[in-house]
Every structure is written in structure tokens, then in C-alpha cells.
């Protein structure tokens, strides 16, 4: 990699062992040091690096903040990590046309704060929003609690600038609200996990901040009743902006981690937010509360902004709280039709009881996206093998209920060996063909989504 000296300026790359260690892993727990790390500051530098990589068959791994849970940003030993932390400008805020232009290294929460000052917001809000980047969100098609009402990242990306593996620049999408000219390459690139092109600029749709937000907390003595409440609320035509579920184990973990005082003598809690015109949402708040009460839920309303933020701070701490209990837990994010949420939760409880392995469930119950945490100790070989069997059983249950094995975390490395459970050979053949069309030399984030034959990444 010494030839990088001829490609990049001093200070924009490193081959120091300390730097390589810092960029060799993401939140999946998989670890592999790259050969080099580069910090581009503009598109021209990325083009130059990609041309160099293409000519020399060098693998490039794009990286946001490393918060991904499926190993999408994990390098191979002979690759270069391309980190976007220095491309972090909000280039344009166009409130008249309801959009913004940002570089990929912009932190999600920084964009939220910049927009809030002007009375607007960007709905996708992953739990890691204080750390994760817009580029990473685009690569993974990130969601978050507000996806229930407002949709996921793909619904907000209007235009992309990206660099192809051979160094050419591609610009996709339009600034207008409508366009049906050619194939929609923008939606193809969103969620492609850095395997097709390197995203360098993003135009995002934004919307006005709603007039009012009301937050309900509903505590249940039965996880199944919580799931039925979710299905009934949506079935009755109420669309909260968020409807988050936390089970007994999750609540206990958060209490130990943050000392927030969640009740631990219950089986589940729903955190429901309804937004819009103050008068218009009052009826929906009453209906949602009555539905929860009908399933023996105890309902409280948090009206003050400070109280709501405390609740969301606790919700966003769920994943680290569970890692504190089980550092080698397996975290999956399955999604089913909302009406099937009660069956999914009951099925997961049954799997936990029959295997003897604890399973903690939380997540975006309102859109059927449940984060399934199999609480296992990797140092206990027998326990971990049983946990791995539970992953496949969880996916089988999910697919039988008409769901998908990943709602927002992507496939990356950790789920690649399960992808054929959901996609048939025809779909996989077409997708591999798209990858070859964009990346003929397979240098851009290789090994992600589609596993090499015979490789077991876990």
C-alpha cells in the first residue's frame, strides 16, 4: 500500500497499526484489520482512489460511523477502509422546496438539530442517531421508531452522487417530487450496503415539524396482550408516529443500565407517540389508550417535552443495556405483518422456553419490526451452538408468518448465510448480476450480502 503516497495527500490516509485497529470492526463484533484507512474530503479524491483501486484490484470498504450490526463495514485483511468522517458538511437547506443536500459523513442527529431550528425535521431516526451517519443510513436503508408513520431512509432520498468502482461519477434522481425517466437507480443504491457505488452526496426530503406530540406509556402483564394492542391500534386506523415495544428482560436491563425506574413486575411496555394537530390527535390518543386498557394495559401520558426525552433516552439505551448483560448476544431484526406480531412474540417465547436460552424482544412493533436478542455466552460452546440454531428457527418462524429476516439492519456478513431462506435462486441470480454490472472486479465491499461458497462468518 506504499503506492498510496502517489495517490493521496499526507494526512488523508494511514497505515499505522493503531489506526487500523480502530477501523477494523463495527457493532457486529466481527474484527479484521485493513491494510490502510483513508479519510477523503471531496469527491475528486474518492474518484482518484477508486481509479487506483480498480487498476490494482484493491478492495475498498466504505464506512460511516461503524454502528452497523451485520458487519457491513468490516474490512478484509487486504482492503482499504474509506471513512467519511471528514465529509460532514450540510451543503444546502432549501426549506422552500423541502429538501437538504448533505455529505455522507453528516451525523443524523446533527442534521436533526440543524433542521429543528428552522421548524423542519428529517424523519428517519435510528436508535444510534447521535452517532450514525447519513451515508451509512443510506447504505443500509435505515429506519427507526418514526418509520411507522413516516417511512424509512429510501422514502426520503431524492438524489445521489456516487462514485463507481472504476472511478466514474454517477448522479441519480431528481430535485422534483415526480419523475419517471428510466430506471430508478437511486432506490437501487439505497440499501445496497456499499456494494455497488460509493455515495458522496445526498439530497433528502424534509418535512415541517408537527404541531404537537403526545406520548403514552402502556404497561402489560402479558407480552401477547401488548402485541394484540399493537395490531388493534393499527387495525383501527390509528397511525402513531412511533409504537415501541420492550419486554420484561429489556425493561430490567435498561433499569440496571440507566436507573430510569421502569416497572419490572410487568411482561411488556409500549411507548406510543401520536403527532399532528393538537385537536385532531386528541381522539386518536383516547382511542389508543382505550385499546391498551381493553387488553389490561395500564396507561400513562407523558405530555412534557423533558419527560418524553427521558423516555426516549431510555429506549435508545436498550441495545447497550442488553450488551452489558450479554456481550456476545446475537441481535436480529426480523419484521412481520403487524397483525402477526402477537404470533411472532408468542413463537419467540416458545423457542426460548424449549431451548432454555433467554430471548429479549424490543423494537418497532408498530411496523412489525422486532429486534430479537438471543442472550448467549460465546465462551460456552454448547450454549452458543444452541443460540445459533435459534437464529435459523427465528427466521423460519418469521418467514412462515409472511415476514422478512431483516427490517433495517441489512444482510452484511452476519446474515449472508441465511439469505437463501428468503430469496429464491432466480432473485439471487439477478442480484448477483446487478453486482457484476456495477462492480466487474468485485472490489467494492466484497463478501457482503452474498457469501462466498463454504464460508461460515459466525
Amino acid at each position: 500500500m506504499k503506492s498510496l503516497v502517489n495517490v493521496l495527500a499526507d494526512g488523508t490516509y494511514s497505515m499505522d497499526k493503531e489506526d487500523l485497529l480502530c477501523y477494523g470492526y463495527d457493532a457486529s463484533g466481527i474484527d479484521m484489520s485493513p491494510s490502510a484507512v483513508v479519510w477523503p474530503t471531496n469527491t475528486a479524491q474518492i474518484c482518484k482512489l477508486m481509479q487506483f483501486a480498480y487498476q490494482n484490484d484493491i478492495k475498498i470498504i466504505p464506512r460511516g460511523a461503524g454502528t452497523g450490526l451485520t458487519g457491513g463495514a468490516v474490512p478484509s485483511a487486504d482492503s482499504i477502509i474509506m471513512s467519511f468522517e471528514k465529509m460532514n458538511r450540510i451543503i444546502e437547506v432549501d426549506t422552500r422546496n423541502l429538501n437538504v443536500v448533505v455529505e455522507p459523513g453528516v451525523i443524523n442527529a446533527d442534521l436533526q438539530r440543524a433542521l429543528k431550528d428552522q421548524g423542519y425535521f428529517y424523519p428517519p431516526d435510528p436508535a444510534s442517531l447521535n452517532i450514525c451517519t447519513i451515508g451509512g443510513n443510506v447504505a443500509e436503508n435505515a429506519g427507526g421508531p418514526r418509520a411507522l408513520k413516516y417511512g424509512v431512509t429510501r422514502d426520503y432520498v431524492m438524489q445521489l452522487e456516487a462514485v463507481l468502482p472504476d472511478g466514474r461519477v454517477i448522479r441519480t434522481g431528481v430535485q422534483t417530487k415526480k419523475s419517471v425517466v428510466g430506471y430508478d437507480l437511486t432506490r437501487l443504491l439505497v440499501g445496497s450496503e456499499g456494494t455497488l457505488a460509493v455515495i458522496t452526496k445526498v439530497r433528502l426530503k424534509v418535512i415541517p415539524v408537527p404541531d404537537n406530540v403526545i406520548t403514552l406509556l402502556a404497561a402489560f402483564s402479558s407480552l401477547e396482550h401488548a402485541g394484540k394492542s399493537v395490531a388493534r391500534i393499527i387495525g383501527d386506523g390509528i397511525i402513531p408516529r412511533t409504537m415501541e415495544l420492550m419486554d420484561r428482560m429489556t425493561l430490567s436491563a435498561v433499569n440496571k443500565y440507566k436507573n430510569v425506574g421502569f416497572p419490572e413486575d410487568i411482561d411488556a411496555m409500549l411507548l406510543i407517540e401520536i403527532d399532528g394537530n393538537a385537536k385532531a390527535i386528541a381522539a386518536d390518543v383516547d382511542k389508543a389508550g382505550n385499546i391498551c386498557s381493553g387488553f389490561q394495559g395500564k396507561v400513562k401520558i407523558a405530555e412534557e417535552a423533558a419527560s418524553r426525552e427521558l423516555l426516549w433516552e431510555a429506549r435508545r439505551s436498550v441495545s447497550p443495556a442488553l450488551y452489558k448483560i450479554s456481550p456476545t448476544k446475537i441481535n436480529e431484526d426480523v419484521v412481520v405483518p403487524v397483525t402477526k406480531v402477537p404470533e411472532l412474540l408468542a413463537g419467540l417465547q416458545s423457542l426460548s422456553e424449549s431451548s432454555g436460552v433467554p430471548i429479549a424482544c424490543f423494537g418497532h412493533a408498530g411496523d412489525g419490526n422486532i429486534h430479537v436478542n438471543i442472550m448467549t455466552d460465546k465462551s460456552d460452546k454448547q450454549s452458543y451452538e444452541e443460540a445459533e440454531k435459534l437464529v435459523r428457527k427465528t427466521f423460519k418462524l418469521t418467514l412462515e408468518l409472511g415476514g422478512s429476516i431483516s427490517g433495517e439492519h441489512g444482510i452484511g456478513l452476519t446474515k449472508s448465510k441465511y439469505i437463501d431462506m428468503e430469496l429464491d435462486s432466480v432473485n439471487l441470480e439477478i442480484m448477483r448480476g446487478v453486482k457484476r454490472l456495477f462492480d466487474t472486479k468485485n472490489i467494492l465491499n466484497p463478501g457482503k450480502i452474498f457469501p462466498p461458497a463454504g464460508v461460515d462468518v459466525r
Side-chain angles (χ1 to χ4, degrees):
M1 293 295 180
K2 291 183 178 179
S3 50
L4 280 176
V5 174
N6 302 319
V7 180
L8 299 172
D10 288 344
T12 61
Y13 69 94
S14 174
M15 289 176 281
D16 294 343
K17 184 177 180 180
E18 293 81 359
D19 288 326
L20 302 185
L21 287 172
C22 290
Y23 290 87
Y25 62 93
D26 64 8
S28 68
I30 303 173
D31 192 348
M32 177 70 74
S33 290
S35 297
V37 56
V38 300
W39 300 280
T41 59
N42 57 56
T43 302
Q45 289 178 358
I46 294 172
C47 290
K48 195 173 182 181
L49 178 61
M50 292 309 303
Q51 289 166 1
F52 168 77
Y54 187 79
Q55 292 164 4
N56 293 278
D57 293 323
I58 296 172
K59 301 177 180 67
I60 300 292
I61 316 298
R63 177 186 172 94
T67 59
L69 290 160
T70 58
V74 174
S76 56
D78 55 349
S79 65
I80 296 175
I81 284 281
M82 184 185 292
S83 175
F84 288 93
E85 61 209 82
K86 293 185 179 180
M87 291 182 67
N88 59 359
R89 294 182 305 142
I90 298 174
I91 298 170
E92 178 187 359
V93 177
D94 183 357
T95 55
R96 292 180 301 173
N97 288 302
L98 297 178
N99 64 68
V100 299
V101 179
V102 302
E103 290 182 323
V106 170
I107 302 296
N108 185 297
D110 289 345
L111 176 60
Q112 306 279 5
R113 284 188 284 268
L115 289 169
K116 187 177 181 181
D117 292 342
Q118 301 187 48
Y120 295 84
F121 81 117
Y122 171 63
D125 59 336
S128 58
L129 64 86
N130 290 311
I131 308 169
C132 65
T133 64
I134 295 297
N137 293 169
V138 172
E140 299 294 333
N141 190 27
R146 293 193 295 234
L148 167 58
K149 180 175 182 178
Y150 292 107
V152 296
T153 301
R154 181 176 283 128
D155 300 310
Y156 293 86
V157 177
M158 301 172 67
Q159 282 185 309
L160 290 174
E161 176 188 89
V163 178
L164 296 172
D166 61 6
R168 290 178 295 167
V169 176
I170 182 173
R171 294 177 179 86
T172 72
V174 293
Q175 297 184 44
T176 56
K177 291 185 178 297
K178 296 179 179 179
S179 174
V180 286
V181 181
Y183 296 127
D184 193 343
L185 296 181
T186 304
R187 290 181 72 85
L188 173 62
L189 292 178
V190 178
S192 62
E193 301 190 36
T195 62
L196 303 180
V198 178
I199 295 164
T200 55
K201 195 179 295 181
V202 189
R203 185 182 297 273
L204 298 166
K205 179 171 63 176
V206 299
I207 58 179
V209 172
D211 292 338
N212 196 36
V213 179
I214 298 178
T215 303
L216 293 82
L217 272 181
F220 296 86
S221 58
S222 160
L223 184 60
E224 187 177 2
H225 281 170
K228 288 182 177 179
S229 295
V230 170
R232 178 68 62 82
I233 287 170
I234 299 298
D236 279 11
I238 303 167
I239 308 297
R241 78 169 182 176
T242 64
M243 187 149 48
E244 297 291 291
L245 170 79
M246 291 177 277
D247 70 2
R248 178 188 288 267
M249 187 180 301
T250 301
L251 293 167
S252 176
V254 172
N255 276 341
K256 292 174 183 175
Y257 186 75
K258 299 288 286 188
N259 193 28
V260 292
F262 282 149
E264 294 190 26
D265 58 344
I266 59 174
D267 265 9
M269 178 179 285
L270 291 179
L271 174 57
I272 305 168
E273 279 195 342
I274 298 175
D275 68 2
N277 178 274
K279 292 182 179 179
I281 66 175
D284 282 349
V285 171
D286 287 343
K287 286 180 185 177
N290 289 335
I291 288 170
C292 291
S293 297
F295 286 102
Q296 301 172 24
K298 297 179 179 179
V299 181
K300 292 183 179 180
I301 295 178
E303 296 189 40
E304 296 180 0
S307 299
R308 290 200 303 270
E309 185 51 40
L310 182 63
L311 290 173
W312 281 109
E313 184 181 342
R315 165 61 185 86
R316 294 185 187 112
S317 72
V318 166
S319 192
L322 290 172
Y323 272 118
K324 187 91 172 175
I325 296 173
S326 180
T328 57
K329 74 180 178 72
I330 300 174
N331 181 7
E332 305 295 352
D333 76 311
V334 300
V335 57
V336 297
V338 177
T339 54
K340 300 294 185 179
V341 168
E343 290 178 60
L344 174 65
L345 295 174
L348 291 170
Q349 273 192 321
S350 178
L351 287 176
S352 177
E353 290 167 2
S354 62
S355 66
V357 179
I359 296 178
C361 293
F362 70 94
H364 322 309
D367 57 18
N369 187 189
I370 302 297
H371 297 294
V372 181
N373 292 259
I374 301 170
M375 310 296 281
T376 183
D377 183 353
K378 202 167 188 176
S379 65
D380 183 337
K381 185 178 179 181
Q382 185 175 351
S383 171
Y384 201 76
E385 286 177 353
E386 187 62 39
E388 287 191 303
K389 291 177 184 177
L390 281 178
V391 173
R392 188 168 290 275
K393 290 177 181 178
T394 296
F395 291 161
K396 184 174 183 291
L397 170 65
T398 298
L399 294 169
E400 287 172 349
L401 294 174
S404 175
I405 66 173
S406 182
E408 57 189 8
H409 290 172
I411 298 300
L413 288 172
T414 64
K415 288 189 178 182
S416 60
K417 66 180 177 181
Y418 303 109
I419 193 170
D420 62 355
M421 292 183 69
E422 180 166 340
L423 300 179
D424 63 24
S425 59
V426 178
N427 273 281
L428 287 170
E429 181 184 350
I430 292 171
M431 290 181 186
R432 288 181 185 273
V434 171
K435 168 65 173 171
R436 286 192 298 270
L437 181 64
F438 273 81
D439 186 10
T440 55
K441 290 191 172 185
N442 194 31
I443 63 170
L444 194 52
N445 218 10
K448 312 301 166 56
I449 304 178
F450 312 109
V455 171
D456 186 345
V457 296
R458 281 204 203 273

